[in-house]
Amino acid sequence: MRDKQEYAKRIHSAFDFAGRQLGHLIEAQPDFFPMYTRAGKWKHAGDAWTNWCEGFLGGQLWLMFSYTNDEWWRDKAIHYSRLIEQRKRDDTVHDLGFLFWSTWRRWQDHAPEDFINDVLVEAGRTAGSRFRDKGQYLPSFVSEESSFIDIMMNVGIIFYAARESQDQTLWEKAAKHCHTTRRYLIRGDGSAAHEGIFDTETGEFLRESTHQGWRGDSSWARGLTWAIYGFGTAFRFTQDRRFLQTAEACAAYYIEQTAEHGLPPNDWSEPNPGEPFESSAAAIAASAFLQLAELSADSVRASMYQRYAFRILDTLLGSAFLAIDTPNWEGVLKGGIYHQARDLGVNESVMWGDYFFLEALLDALHILTGPNAAVTARPRC
Ligand code: GLY
């Protein structure tokens, strides 16, 4: 790791830059929820494919409040959190964790209130209501027969709702989904399938598939990072060591497959990638590795995870990825990919990439400059 003070200075400068970009976005496009840029601009007519990103803007505003303690950011964060409240009853997507964990859960951490908890519990119950007994999994938005690795990022809010409402059945649904994912979507080498297809009549697992990766049997990088992060979160809730082992196996695969700089391509199996990097997967990985560093029982491995996360962030803080020197670019991190096969958000900024980048940077800053007990980088479990 470079000199600590120098590293912290680069993080402060990235936060200042992110604040300028976010301030400009919410002033220029009030109440707009961007997903990915086109030629660096957030507002365009590009397709969304699905609606899973509406928490990441509010989430970044909460992170700016955590970083600055400035009420201006808190008020904006509350405003953008409230704008998505009605999604707590949306049972058409598998993504309510993405929406509410990044926003309302952060709000609850800053200023606990019953009404915030009620929203989180309702969102978690809605997410859990999608559970299928046949097959023991939460289906993706695509169809009842499909489950995604991404859903691992959405079980935390179900565990939370189950605990807060003392609903053992709901808790078991979340745990069973994790076990099903572990059994069918995580492979023996620690790689992950993007999608699993099940027989809806019998619940039998049929095959691996993908939408955003290269092939059904390949490993889409962002999917793997959802697994590292999501199984880590599942362990934080349950203390079930099998989930920690899964997160660690996936982390080992990430490290094994990725070059020294820590940035993966969109899919490790793609023979000649059109774009060499997928920066949002790297940002998620940085935060997931920092979380693993806190969870791992093995101190040598824990320091290795921390060092690896710092290496990824070092690369992302360089001007090839941080848009600080790119005139008229509206995002924070360049080089993300949303959906390569549909040509959506390829080599662009993506909202979740910026969100997890700031989350990882805040955690890294606490490590470098001393912990801030009042503010955790990741929402509390
Ligand atoms: N739909 C989640 C993702 O694109 O990673």
Side-chain angles (χ1 to χ4, degrees):
M1 196 191 305
R2 291 189 197 182
D3 170 71
K4 279 188 180 186
Q5 264 188 341
E6 170 61 19
Y7 208 118
K9 223 168 103 186
R10 293 169 74 213
I11 294 178
H12 287 302
S13 152
F15 262 106
D16 291 345
F17 171 61
R20 293 196 295 278
Q21 298 294 78
L22 285 162
H24 177 262
L25 169 62
I26 61 178
E27 297 285 339
Q29 313 283 356
D31 298 355
F32 169 61
F33 290 97
M35 193 178 221
Y36 58 90
T37 59
R38 253 193 191 171
K41 305 285 181 220
W42 287 121
K43 187 105 185 194
H44 52 75
D47 186 22
W49 187 45
T50 174
N51 298 316
W52 65 287
C53 283
E54 292 75 10
F56 296 125
L57 176 52
Q60 287 179 71
L61 301 174
W62 280 114
L63 281 158
M64 286 308 301
F65 174 56
S66 295
Y67 173 72
T68 58
N69 205 27
D70 179 335
E71 288 176 10
W72 189 84
W73 289 112
R74 186 201 56 198
D75 294 348
K76 297 291 180 198
I78 290 175
H79 176 76
Y80 277 83
S81 301
R82 283 196 188 281
L83 286 179
I84 63 168
E85 181 182 346
Q86 82 288 356
R87 297 286 302 278
K88 68 190 175 189
R89 295 192 199 96
D90 181 357
D91 64 1
T92 64
V93 295
H94 57 255
D95 304 296
L96 294 195
F98 281 129
L99 270 85
F100 286 88
W101 203 246
S102 49
T103 50
W104 286 73
R105 184 70 191 101
R106 290 189 180 279
W107 189 359
Q108 176 75 337
D109 273 348
H110 280 290
E113 293 275 4
D114 287 348
F115 77 91
I116 303 175
N117 204 43
D118 292 346
V119 169
L120 287 164
V121 168
E122 190 167 355
R125 299 192 73 79
T126 302
S129 72
R130 293 173 56 81
F131 185 77
R132 290 184 55 88
D133 283 325
K134 288 227 174 95
Q136 307 273 284
Y137 64 90
L138 295 156
S140 79
F141 82 96
V142 170
S143 68
E144 287 290 295
E145 63 171 11
S146 148
S147 190
F148 280 6
I149 192 67
D150 324 26
I151 298 172
M152 281 308 301
M153 292 298 283
N154 297 278
V155 290
I157 196 163
I158 306 178
F159 280 125
Y160 178 89
R163 191 183 63 208
E164 293 299 307
S165 57
Q166 301 188 334
D167 184 338
Q168 186 60 24
T169 308
L170 186 62
W171 181 273
E172 278 164 19
K173 286 178 180 174
K176 281 173 181 167
H177 175 80
C178 298
H179 284 294
T180 304
T181 304
R182 181 171 177 265
R183 178 164 181 196
Y184 295 118
L185 273 70
I186 305 298
R187 309 184 185 111
D189 63 358
S191 67
H194 178 192
E195 185 181 36
I197 303 292
F198 294 79
D199 183 324
T200 51
E201 292 296 314
T202 63
E204 183 189 353
F205 176 73
L206 298 176
R207 64 178 186 281
E208 299 177 339
S209 180
T210 191
H211 295 264
Q212 288 151 285
W214 179 245
R215 271 193 334 225
D217 66 345
S218 68
S219 195
W220 173 50
R222 191 159 68 255
L224 191 80
T225 65
W226 292 144
I228 304 169
Y229 197 127
F231 277 103
T233 304
F235 174 69
R236 284 171 72 194
F237 273 102
T238 61
Q239 296 301 303
D240 184 332
R241 302 206 73 76
R242 289 170 294 182
F243 298 151
L244 180 59
Q245 283 160 5
T246 303
E248 296 203 293
C250 295
Y253 185 87
Y254 184 104
I255 295 170
E256 217 177 271
Q257 297 295 318
T258 307
E260 195 67 8
H261 49 56
L263 264 68
N266 188 59
D267 189 314
W268 283 285
S269 306
E270 187 175 349
N272 298 301
E275 298 297 335
F277 305 116
E278 206 292 74
S279 65
S280 80
I284 299 158
S287 188
F289 274 99
L290 289 175
Q291 174 173 251
L292 262 192
E294 283 172 24
L295 300 177
S296 182
D298 177 333
S299 62
V300 175
R301 219 180 296 162
S303 339
M304 183 270 286
Y305 292 144
Q306 193 184 97
R307 278 198 310 278
Y308 196 79
F310 273 89
R311 191 192 304 167
I312 295 174
L313 291 176
D314 185 40
T315 307
L316 293 179
L317 284 164
S319 60
F321 295 99
L322 189 70
I324 198 161
D325 295 326
T326 309
N328 304 318
W329 194 274
E330 294 178 353
V332 175
L333 262 193
K334 299 182 290 180
I337 297 178
Y338 175 28
H339 198 313
Q340 187 170 273
R342 287 177 183 248
D343 195 22
L344 305 177
V346 176
N347 194 15
E348 294 287 348
S349 289
V350 293
M351 265 287 134
W352 61 94
D354 289 0
Y355 170 81
F356 286 102
F357 181 51
L358 293 188
E359 180 180 274
L361 287 181
L362 189 62
D363 203 358
L365 197 58
H366 291 166
I367 292 165
L368 291 169
T369 59
N372 180 344
V375 181
T376 57
R378 271 171 295 283
R380 293 193 174 90
C381 284

